[in-house]
Coordinates of all heavy atoms in Angstrom, one line a residue:
M1 N 98.8 103.6 77.2 CA 99.7 104.1 78.2 C 100.9 104.7 77.5 O 101.5 104.0 76.7 CB 100.1 103.0 79.2 CG 101.0 103.5 80.3 SD 101.5 102.2 81.5 CE 99.9 101.8 82.3
S2 N 101.3 106.0 77.8 CA 102.4 106.5 77.1 C 103.7 105.8 77.6 O 103.7 105.1 78.6 CB 102.5 108.0 77.5 OG 102.9 108.2 78.8
D3 N 104.8 106.0 76.8 CA 106.0 105.4 77.2 C 106.6 105.9 78.5 O 107.1 105.0 79.3 CB 107.1 105.7 76.1 CG 106.9 104.9 74.8 OD1 106.1 104.0 74.8 OD2 107.5 105.4 73.7
A4 N 106.4 107.2 78.8 CA 106.9 107.7 80.1 C 106.1 107.1 81.2 O 106.6 106.8 82.2 CB 106.7 109.2 80.1
R5 N 104.8 107.0 81.0 CA 103.9 106.4 82.0 C 104.2 104.9 82.2 O 104.2 104.4 83.4 CB 102.4 106.6 81.6 CG 101.4 106.0 82.6 CD 100.9 107.1 83.4 NE 99.7 106.5 84.0 CZ 99.6 106.5 85.3 NH1 100.4 107.0 86.1 NH2 98.5 105.9 85.8
A6 N 104.4 104.2 81.2 CA 104.8 102.8 81.2 C 106.1 102.6 82.0 O 106.3 101.7 82.9 CB 104.9 102.1 79.9
S7 N 107.1 103.5 81.7 CA 108.4 103.5 82.4 C 108.2 103.7 83.9 O 108.8 103.1 84.7 CB 109.3 104.5 81.8 OG 110.5 104.5 82.5
L8 N 107.4 104.8 84.2 CA 107.1 105.1 85.6 C 106.5 103.9 86.3 O 106.9 103.5 87.4 CB 106.1 106.3 85.7 CG 105.7 106.7 87.1 CD1 106.9 107.2 87.9 CD2 104.6 107.7 87.0
A9 N 105.5 103.2 85.7 CA 104.8 102.1 86.3 C 105.9 100.9 86.5 O 105.9 100.3 87.6 CB 103.7 101.6 85.3
D10 N 106.7 100.7 85.5 CA 107.8 99.7 85.7 C 108.7 100.1 86.9 O 109.1 99.1 87.6 CB 108.6 99.6 84.4 CG 107.9 98.9 83.3 OD1 106.8 98.3 83.6 OD2 108.3 99.0 82.1
N11 N 109.1 101.3 87.0 CA 109.9 101.7 88.1 C 109.3 101.6 89.4 O 109.9 101.1 90.4 CB 110.4 103.2 87.8 CG 111.4 103.3 86.7 OD1 112.2 102.3 86.5 ND2 111.5 104.4 86.1
V12 N 108.0 101.9 89.5 CA 107.3 101.8 90.8 C 107.2 100.4 91.1 O 107.4 99.9 92.3 CB 105.9 102.5 90.7 CG1 105.1 102.1 91.9 CG2 106.1 104.0 90.6
R13 N 106.9 99.5 90.1 CA 106.7 98.1 90.4 C 108.1 97.5 90.9 O 108.1 96.7 91.8 CB 106.3 97.3 89.2 CG 104.8 97.6 88.8 CD 104.3 97.0 87.5 NE 104.7 95.6 87.4 CZ 105.2 95.1 86.3 NH1 105.4 95.8 85.2 NH2 105.5 93.8 86.2
A14 N 109.2 98.0 90.3 CA 110.5 97.5 90.7 C 110.8 97.9 92.2 O 111.3 97.1 93.0 CB 111.6 98.1 89.8
E15 N 110.4 99.1 92.6 CA 110.6 99.6 93.9 C 109.8 98.8 94.9 O 110.3 98.4 96.0 CB 110.3 101.1 94.1 CG 111.3 102.0 93.5 CD 112.6 101.9 94.1 OE1 112.8 101.5 95.3 OE2 113.6 102.3 93.4
V16 N 108.5 98.5 94.5 CA 107.6 97.7 95.4 C 108.2 96.3 95.6 O 108.3 95.8 96.7 CB 106.2 97.7 94.9 CG1 105.4 96.7 95.8 CG2 105.6 99.1 95.0
A17 N 108.6 95.7 94.4 CA 109.1 94.3 94.5 C 110.4 94.3 95.3 O 110.5 93.3 96.1 CB 109.4 93.8 93.1
G18 N 111.3 95.2 95.1 CA 112.5 95.2 95.9 C 112.3 95.5 97.3 O 112.9 94.9 98.2
G19 N 111.3 96.4 97.7 CA 111.1 96.7 99.0 C 110.5 95.6 99.8 O 110.7 95.5 101.1
F20 N 109.8 94.7 99.2 CA 109.2 93.6 99.8 C 109.8 92.2 99.5 O 109.3 91.2 99.7 CB 107.6 93.5 99.4 CG 106.8 94.6 100.0 CD1 106.6 95.8 99.3 CD2 106.4 94.6 101.4 CE1 105.9 96.8 99.9 CE2 105.7 95.6 101.9 CZ 105.4 96.8 101.2
D21 N 111.0 92.3 98.9 CA 111.8 91.1 98.6 C 111.0 90.1 97.7 O 111.0 88.9 98.0 CB 112.3 90.4 99.8 CG 113.3 91.2 100.6 OD1 114.1 92.0 99.9 OD2 113.3 91.2 101.8
L22 N 110.3 90.6 96.7 CA 109.5 89.8 95.8 C 110.2 89.8 94.4 O 110.9 90.8 94.0 CB 108.1 90.4 95.6 CG 107.3 90.4 96.9 CD1 106.0 91.2 96.7 CD2 107.0 89.0 97.4
S23 N 110.0 88.8 93.6 CA 110.6 88.8 92.3 C 109.9 89.7 91.3 O 110.5 90.3 90.4 CB 110.6 87.4 91.7 OG 109.3 86.8 91.6
S24 N 108.6 89.9 91.5 CA 107.8 90.8 90.7 C 106.4 91.1 91.3 O 106.1 90.4 92.3 CB 107.5 90.2 89.2 OG 106.7 89.1 89.4
V25 N 105.8 92.2 90.9 CA 104.5 92.5 91.3 C 103.7 93.0 90.2 O 104.2 93.5 89.2 CB 104.5 93.6 92.5 CG1 105.2 93.1 93.7 CG2 105.2 94.9 91.9
S26 N 102.4 92.9 90.3 CA 101.5 93.5 89.3 C 100.9 94.8 89.8 O 100.9 95.1 90.9 CB 100.4 92.5 88.9 OG 99.4 92.5 89.9
L27 N 100.3 95.6 88.9 CA 99.6 96.8 89.3 C 98.5 96.6 90.2 O 98.1 97.5 91.0 CB 99.2 97.6 88.0 CG 100.4 98.1 87.1 CD1 99.8 98.8 85.9 CD2 101.3 99.0 87.9
D28 N 97.9 95.4 90.2 CA 96.7 95.1 91.0 C 97.1 94.6 92.4 O 96.2 94.5 93.2 CB 95.8 94.0 90.3 CG 95.2 94.6 89.0 OD1 94.9 95.8 88.9 OD2 95.0 93.8 88.1
D29 N 98.3 94.3 92.6 CA 98.7 93.8 93.9 C 98.6 94.8 95.0 O 98.9 96.0 94.8 CB 100.2 93.3 93.9 CG 100.4 92.0 93.1 OD1 99.4 91.3 92.8 OD2 101.6 91.7 92.7
S30 N 98.1 94.3 96.2 CA 97.9 95.2 97.3 C 99.1 95.0 98.2 O 99.7 94.0 98.3 CB 96.7 94.8 98.1 OG 96.6 95.5 99.3
F31 N 99.5 96.1 98.8 CA 100.6 96.0 99.8 C 100.3 96.7 101.1 O 101.1 97.1 101.8 CB 101.9 96.7 99.2 CG 101.8 98.1 98.7 CD1 101.8 99.1 99.6 CD2 101.6 98.3 97.4 CE1 101.7 100.4 99.1 CE2 101.5 99.6 96.9 CZ 101.5 100.6 97.8
V32 N 99.0 96.7 101.4 CA 98.5 97.2 102.7 C 97.6 96.1 103.3 O 97.1 95.2 102.6 CB 97.7 98.5 102.6 CG1 98.6 99.6 102.1 CG2 96.5 98.3 101.7
G33 N 97.5 96.1 104.6 CA 96.7 95.2 105.3 C 97.5 94.5 106.4 O 98.7 94.8 106.6
P34 N 96.9 93.6 107.2 CA 97.5 93.1 108.3 C 98.8 92.2 108.0 O 99.6 92.0 108.9 CB 96.5 92.3 109.0 CG 95.5 92.0 108.0 CD 95.6 93.1 107.0
H35 N 98.8 91.7 106.8 CA 100.0 90.8 106.4 C 101.2 91.6 106.0 O 102.2 91.0 105.7 CB 99.5 89.9 105.3 CG 99.1 90.7 104.0 ND1 98.0 91.4 103.9 CD2 99.8 90.9 102.8 CE1 97.9 92.0 102.7 NE2 99.0 91.7 102.1
V36 N 101.2 92.9 105.9 CA 102.2 93.7 105.4 C 103.2 94.2 106.5 O 102.7 94.7 107.5 CB 101.8 94.9 104.6 CG1 102.9 95.8 104.1 CG2 101.0 94.3 103.3
N37 N 104.4 94.1 106.3 CA 105.4 94.6 107.2 C 105.5 96.1 107.1 O 105.9 96.6 106.1 CB 106.8 93.9 106.9 CG 107.9 94.4 107.8 OD1 107.8 95.4 108.5 ND2 109.0 93.7 107.8
P38 N 105.2 96.9 108.2 CA 105.2 98.3 108.0 C 106.6 98.9 107.8 O 106.8 99.9 107.2 CB 104.6 98.8 109.4 CG 104.6 97.7 110.3 CD 104.7 96.4 109.4
V39 N 107.6 98.2 108.3 CA 109.0 98.6 108.0 C 109.3 98.6 106.5 O 110.0 99.5 105.9 CB 110.0 97.7 108.8 CG1 111.5 98.1 108.4 CG2 109.8 97.9 110.3
A40 N 108.8 97.6 105.8 CA 108.9 97.5 104.3 C 108.3 98.7 103.7 O 108.8 99.2 102.7 CB 108.4 96.1 103.8
V41 N 107.1 99.1 104.2 CA 106.4 100.2 103.6 C 107.2 101.5 103.8 O 107.3 102.3 102.9 CB 105.0 100.4 104.2 CG1 104.3 101.6 103.7 CG2 104.2 99.2 103.9
L42 N 107.9 101.6 105.0 CA 108.7 102.8 105.2 C 109.9 102.8 104.2 O 110.3 103.8 103.7 CB 109.2 102.9 106.6 CG 108.1 103.1 107.7 CD1 108.7 103.0 109.1 CD2 107.5 104.5 107.4
R43 N 110.5 101.6 104.0 CA 111.6 101.5 103.1 C 111.2 101.9 101.7 O 111.9 102.6 100.9 CB 112.2 100.1 103.1 CG 113.1 99.7 104.3 CD 113.9 98.5 104.1 NE 113.1 97.4 103.4 CZ 112.7 96.3 104.1 NH1 113.0 96.1 105.4 NH2 112.1 95.3 103.5
L44 N 109.9 101.4 101.3 CA 109.4 101.8 100.0 C 109.2 103.3 99.9 O 109.6 103.9 98.8 CB 108.1 101.1 99.8 CG 107.3 101.5 98.6 CD1 108.0 101.2 97.3 CD2 105.9 100.8 98.6
T45 N 108.7 103.9 100.9 CA 108.6 105.4 100.9 C 109.9 106.1 100.7 O 110.0 107.0 99.8 CB 107.9 105.8 102.2 OG1 106.6 105.2 102.3 CG2 107.6 107.4 102.2
A46 N 110.9 105.7 101.4 CA 112.2 106.3 101.3 C 112.8 106.1 99.9 O 113.4 107.0 99.3 CB 113.2 105.7 102.4
A47 N 112.7 104.8 99.4 CA 113.3 104.5 98.1 C 112.5 105.3 97.0 O 113.2 105.8 96.1 CB 113.1 103.0 97.8
S48 N 111.2 105.5 97.1 CA 110.5 106.3 96.2 C 110.9 107.7 96.2 O 111.0 108.4 95.1 CB 108.9 106.2 96.5 OG 108.5 104.8 96.3
E49 N 111.1 108.3 97.3 CA 111.5 109.7 97.5 C 112.9 109.8 96.7 O 113.1 110.8 96.0 CB 111.7 110.1 98.9 CG 112.1 111.5 99.1 CD 112.1 111.8 100.6 OE1 112.0 111.0 101.4 OE2 112.4 113.1 100.8
E50 N 113.8 108.9 97.0 CA 115.1 109.0 96.3 C 115.0 108.8 94.8 O 115.6 109.5 94.1 CB 116.1 108.0 97.0 CG 117.5 108.1 96.4 CD 118.4 107.1 97.2 OE1 118.3 107.0 98.3 OE2 119.3 106.6 96.5
R51 N 114.4 107.7 94.4 CA 114.4 107.4 93.0 C 113.6 108.4 92.1 O 114.0 108.8 91.0 CB 113.7 106.0 92.8 CG 113.7 105.6 91.3 CD 113.3 104.1 91.2 NE 113.6 103.6 90.0 CZ 113.8 102.3 89.7 NH1 113.7 101.4 90.7 NH2 114.0 101.9 88.5
F52 N 112.5 108.9 92.6 CA 111.6 109.8 91.8 C 111.8 111.3 92.2 O 111.2 112.1 91.6 CB 110.2 109.4 91.9 CG 109.9 108.0 91.5 CD1 109.6 107.0 92.5 CD2 110.1 107.5 90.2 CE1 109.4 105.7 92.1 CE2 109.9 106.2 89.9 CZ 109.5 105.3 90.8
E53 N 112.7 111.6 93.2 CA 113.0 112.9 93.6 C 111.7 113.7 93.9 O 111.5 114.8 93.5 CB 113.8 113.6 92.5 CG 115.1 113.0 92.2 CD 115.9 113.6 91.1 OE1 115.3 114.6 90.4 OE2 117.0 113.3 90.9
I54 N 110.9 113.0 94.7 CA 109.7 113.7 95.2 C 109.6 113.5 96.7 O 110.1 112.5 97.2 CB 108.4 113.0 94.5 CG1 108.4 111.5 94.8 CG2 108.3 113.4 93.0 CD1 107.1 110.8 94.3
P55 N 108.8 114.4 97.4 CA 108.7 114.2 98.8 C 107.4 113.5 99.2 O 106.4 114.1 99.6 CB 108.7 115.7 99.3 CG 108.0 116.4 98.1 CD 108.4 115.6 96.9
P56 N 107.4 112.2 99.1 CA 106.2 111.5 99.5 C 106.0 111.5 101.0 O 107.0 111.7 101.8 CB 106.4 110.0 99.0 CG 107.9 109.9 99.0 CD 108.4 111.2 98.7
E57 N 104.7 111.4 101.4 CA 104.4 111.4 102.8 C 104.5 110.0 103.3 O 104.3 109.0 102.5 CB 103.1 112.0 103.1 CG 103.0 113.5 102.7 CD 101.6 114.0 102.9 OE1 100.8 113.4 103.6 OE2 101.3 115.0 102.3
L58 N 104.7 109.7 104.6 CA 104.9 108.4 105.0 C 103.6 107.5 104.8 O 103.7 106.3 104.7 CB 105.2 108.4 106.5 CG 106.6 108.9 106.9 CD1 106.8 108.9 108.4 CD2 107.7 108.0 106.3
G59 N 102.5 108.2 104.8 CA 101.2 107.4 104.6 C 100.8 107.2 103.2 O 99.8 106.5 103.0
D60 N 101.6 107.7 102.2 CA 101.2 107.5 100.8 C 100.9 106.1 100.4 O 99.9 105.8 99.8 CB 102.2 108.2 99.9 CG 102.0 109.7 99.9 OD1 101.1 110.2 100.4 OD2 103.0 110.4 99.5
P61 N 101.8 105.2 100.7 CA 101.7 103.8 100.2 C 100.3 103.2 100.8 O 99.6 102.5 100.2 CB 102.8 103.1 100.7 CG 103.9 104.1 100.8 CD 103.2 105.3 101.2
F62 N 100.0 103.6 102.0 CA 98.8 103.1 102.7 C 97.5 103.7 102.0 O 96.5 103.0 101.9 CB 98.8 103.4 104.2 CG 99.8 102.7 104.9 CD1 101.0 103.3 105.4 CD2 99.7 101.3 105.2 CE1 102.0 102.6 106.0 CE2 100.7 100.6 105.9 CZ 101.8 101.2 106.3
R63 N 97.6 104.9 101.6 CA 96.5 105.5 100.9 C 96.3 104.9 99.5 O 95.3 104.8 98.9 CB 96.7 107.0 100.8 CG 96.3 107.7 102.1 CD 96.2 109.2 101.9 NE 97.4 109.9 101.4 CZ 98.4 110.3 102.1 NH1 98.3 110.1 103.4 NH2 99.4 110.9 101.6
A64 N 97.4 104.6 98.9 CA 97.4 104.0 97.5 C 96.8 102.6 97.5 O 96.1 102.3 96.6 CB 98.8 104.0 96.9
E65 N 97.0 101.8 98.5 CA 96.5 100.5 98.7 C 97.0 99.4 97.7 O 97.0 98.3 98.0 CB 95.0 100.5 98.7 CG 94.4 101.3 99.9 CD 92.9 101.1 100.0 OE1 92.3 100.3 99.3 OE2 92.4 101.8 100.8
S66 N 97.4 99.8 96.4 CA 97.8 98.9 95.5 C 99.0 99.5 94.7 O 99.2 100.7 94.8 CB 96.7 98.5 94.4 OG 96.4 99.6 93.6
V67 N 99.7 98.6 94.0 CA 100.8 99.1 93.2 C 100.3 100.1 92.2 O 100.9 101.1 92.0 CB 101.6 97.9 92.5 CG1 102.7 98.4 91.7 CG2 102.1 96.9 93.6
G68 N 99.2 99.8 91.5 CA 98.6 100.8 90.5 C 98.2 102.1 91.1 O 98.5 103.1 90.5
G69 N 97.7 102.0 92.4 CA 97.4 103.3 93.1 C 98.7 104.1 93.4 O 98.6 105.3 93.3
L70 N 99.7 103.4 93.7 CA 101.0 104.1 94.0 C 101.5 104.7 92.8 O 102.1 105.8 92.8 CB 102.0 103.1 94.6 CG 103.2 103.8 95.1 CD1 103.0 104.9 96.2 CD2 104.2 102.7 95.7
V71 N 101.4 104.1 91.6 CA 101.8 104.6 90.3 C 101.0 106.0 90.1 O 101.6 107.0 89.7 CB 101.6 103.7 89.1 CG1 101.8 104.4 87.8 CG2 102.5 102.5 89.3
E72 N 99.8 106.0 90.3 CA 99.0 107.2 90.1 C 99.4 108.3 91.1 O 99.6 109.4 90.7 CB 97.5 106.9 90.5 CG 96.8 105.9 89.5 CD 96.6 106.5 88.2 OE1 96.3 107.8 88.1 OE2 96.6 105.8 87.2
L73 N 99.7 107.9 92.3 CA 100.2 108.9 93.3 C 101.5 109.4 92.9 O 101.8 110.7 93.0 CB 100.3 108.2 94.6 CG 100.4 109.1 95.9 CD1 99.1 110.0 96.0 CD2 100.5 108.2 97.1
V74 N 102.5 108.6 92.5 CA 103.8 109.1 92.1 C 103.7 109.9 90.9 O 104.4 111.0 90.8 CB 104.8 107.9 91.8 CG1 106.1 108.4 91.2 CG2 105.1 107.2 93.2
D75 N 102.9 109.5 89.9 CA 102.7 110.3 88.7 C 102.1 111.7 89.0 O 102.6 112.7 88.4 CB 101.7 109.6 87.7 CG 101.6 110.2 86.4 OD1 102.6 110.7 85.8 OD2 100.5 110.3 85.9
A76 N 101.2 111.8 89.9 CA 100.6 113.1 90.3 C 101.7 114.0 91.0 O 101.8 115.2 90.6 CB 99.5 112.9 91.3
F77 N 102.5 113.4 91.9 CA 103.6 114.1 92.5 C 104.6 114.6 91.5 O 105.0 115.8 91.5 CB 104.3 113.3 93.5 CG 103.8 113.4 94.9 CD1 103.4 112.2 95.6 CD2 103.7 114.6 95.6 CE1 102.9 112.3 96.9 CE2 103.1 114.6 96.9 CZ 102.8 113.5 97.5
V78 N 105.0 113.7 90.5 CA 106.0 114.1 89.5 C 105.5 115.3 88.7 O 106.2 116.2 88.4 CB 106.4 112.9 88.7 CG1 107.1 113.3 87.4 CG2 107.2 111.9 89.5
N79 N 104.2 115.2 88.2 CA 103.6 116.2 87.4 C 103.5 117.5 88.2 O 103.7 118.6 87.6 CB 102.2 115.8 86.9 CG 102.4 114.7 85.8 OD1 103.4 114.6 85.1 ND2 101.4 113.9 85.7
R80 N 103.2 117.4 89.4 CA 103.0 118.7 90.3 C 104.4 119.3 90.4 O 104.5 120.5 90.3 CB 102.4 118.3 91.7 CG 102.0 119.5 92.4 CD 101.3 119.1 93.7 NE 100.6 117.9 93.7 CZ 100.5 117.1 94.7 NH1 100.8 117.5 95.9 NH2 99.9 115.9 94.6
W81 N 105.4 118.5 90.7 CA 106.8 119.1 90.9 C 107.3 119.6 89.6 O 108.1 120.6 89.6 CB 107.7 118.1 91.6 CG 107.3 118.0 93.0 CD1 106.6 116.9 93.6 CD2 107.7 118.8 94.1 NE1 106.5 117.2 94.9 CE2 107.1 118.4 95.3 CE3 108.4 120.0 94.1 CZ2 107.3 119.0 96.5 CZ3 108.6 120.7 95.3 CH2 108.0 120.1 96.5
K82 N 107.0 119.1 88.5 CA 107.5 119.6 87.2 C 106.6 120.7 86.7 O 106.9 121.3 85.7 CB 107.4 118.4 86.1 CG 108.5 117.4 86.4 CD 108.5 116.3 85.3 CE 109.6 115.4 85.4 NZ 109.5 114.4 84.4
G83 N 105.5 121.0 87.4 CA 104.6 122.1 86.9 C 103.7 121.7 85.8 O 103.3 122.6 85.1
E84 N 103.5 120.5 85.6 CA 102.6 120.1 84.4 C 101.2 120.0 84.8 O 100.8 119.9 85.9 CB 103.0 118.7 83.9 CG 104.4 118.7 83.3 CD 104.9 117.3 82.8 OE1 104.1 116.4 82.8 OE2 106.0 117.2 82.5

């Protein structure tokens, strides 16, 4: 994993942990399902938009299903917006 990718993963993990009031999360952790507060997912979406300067859709975290999936999604958005 490149340094930029590792930094992105750390930043996404920090957003997820903060959004769900957790001390930490792993890339394998799921944040969808009946046990998840949908308001926390909306906060995560808004925080991601602000932090990464990308226009995520409200359903993105639900499509990602895991923290690692969200890293992939944010990485794709960042690369698309930067034209890479």
Side-chain angles (χ1 to χ4, degrees):
M1 183 181 294
S2 72
D3 289 343
R5 178 103 166 118
S7 177
L8 176 67
D10 289 343
N11 287 332
V12 170
R13 288 175 50 225
E15 287 297 336
V16 173
F20 290 96
D21 295 325
L22 301 170
S23 59
S24 67
V25 295
S26 78
L27 294 177
D28 295 326
D29 287 343
S30 174
F31 53 84
V32 296
H35 63 285
V36 173
N37 179 346
V39 174
V41 175
L42 292 174
R43 284 194 316 252
L44 171 63
T45 301
S48 296
E49 181 176 7
E50 184 176 321
R51 182 171 194 156
F52 302 112
E53 300 177 354
I54 57 171
E57 297 176 19
L58 290 178
D60 287 344
F62 293 103
R63 283 194 298 275
E65 296 186 9
S66 70
V67 177
L70 188 58
V71 169
E72 295 288 330
L73 197 62
V74 170
D75 188 42
F77 270 125
V78 168
N79 287 333
R80 191 172 337 149
W81 285 100
K82 287 183 177 179
E84 294 178 8

